[in-house]
Amino acid sequence: MTAKIAVVYYSATGSVHALAKALADAAAAAGADVRLRRAAELAPDSSIDENPLWRSHTDATASIPEAAIDDLAWADAFAFGTPSRFGAPAAQLKQFLDQAGGLWHEGGLADKPVTAFTSAYNRHGGSEATILSLSNVFYHWGALIVPPGFTDPTVYAAGGNPYGTSAVTGPSGEVPDDAAPAAAAYQGRRLVAITDRLLAGRDITADAPRDGGTPATRAA
């Protein structure tokens, strides 16, 4: 069974987009069916126009489809990306997550692997806090958090964030080198590997009796 991965992100000047693209491309290369989606912009054009980098990136990525709740229902696993906003997710991504209440109530988000990544202006600009804040949402969903941990050299090379890939952008607003995208690519491959294992186990046990019962009696 091919793993279906939804990569949903918000990016203002492009750093989180670069991580999302690296993660999505690596997941696809690992055999997954991937949807790369951006959270809808909430800021007014007047605010975007005040920052040339923000305007340039907004225009350059306008062709990427906006995320929909149907993308979450479709997916076997998720990867979410956001810049750090005072140690918390950007409002644009949070607004999207807040729309998932109906799907959550139906159980459509439970037991699905999920991972997260971020960027900040400074090395101590709230990256870990942002990912941990997102984790609070995942706990409520009953999702299965898949952090990169210290499981690959790329994690160390990108600054050693075991919670999720984080880039330090500085004043350019862009990812400064290949270390963070490489870590994001590893994070995507890891997410696919874990999802593949879960899907394989689900195929094996889908019709297996539990607690001495049979599939028919369980359905009754």
Side-chain angles (χ1 to χ4, degrees):
M1 180 181 293
T2 300
K4 297 177 290 187
I5 309 293
V7 181
V8 180
Y9 74 98
Y10 173 73
S11 187
T13 60
S15 58
V16 177
H17 168 78
L19 300 181
K21 186 71 164 53
L23 190 153
D25 288 348
D33 186 3
V34 178
R35 290 185 183 179
L36 179 64
R37 299 290 187 265
R38 59 182 176 86
E41 182 60 80
L42 302 178
D45 283 336
S46 58
S47 295
I48 298 173
D49 290 339
E50 290 177 357
N51 184 334
L53 291 174
W54 195 355
R55 169 51 65 193
S56 176
H57 179 70
T58 297
D59 292 345
T61 56
S63 61
I64 296 176
E66 288 188 357
I69 297 303
D70 285 347
D71 295 317
L72 302 184
W74 165 85
D76 297 310
F78 320 114
F80 292 104
T82 175
S84 178
R85 295 288 188 261
F86 305 109
Q92 290 84 346
L93 182 67
K94 185 59 167 62
Q95 193 263 358
F96 171 73
L97 296 175
D98 287 346
Q99 297 177 57
L103 185 60
W104 162 79
H105 190 264
E106 297 167 0
L109 299 168
D111 303 329
K112 293 185 177 183
V114 60
T115 200
F117 53 97
T118 187
S119 72
Y121 185 95
N122 299 303
R123 182 164 299 280
H124 299 289
S127 294
E128 293 181 357
T130 297
I131 293 176
L132 291 172
S133 179
L134 278 175
S135 295
N136 289 331
V137 176
F138 308 150
Y139 297 142
H140 281 257
W141 286 3
L144 308 176
I145 297 175
V146 180
F150 292 112
T151 58
D152 190 84
T154 58
V155 177
Y156 294 91
N161 188 341
Y163 303 100
T165 300
S166 57
V168 180
T169 64
S172 72
E174 299 177 349
V175 177
D177 53 42
D178 294 334
Y186 167 72
Q187 194 170 345
R189 292 190 296 272
R190 178 170 166 82
L191 181 64
V192 173
I194 297 299
T195 305
D196 283 344
R197 291 183 193 177
L198 291 171
L199 291 176
R202 188 179 304 165
D203 288 344
I204 292 170
T205 62
D207 296 321
R210 296 182 181 179
D211 299 328
T214 66
T217 58
R218 290 203 312 276

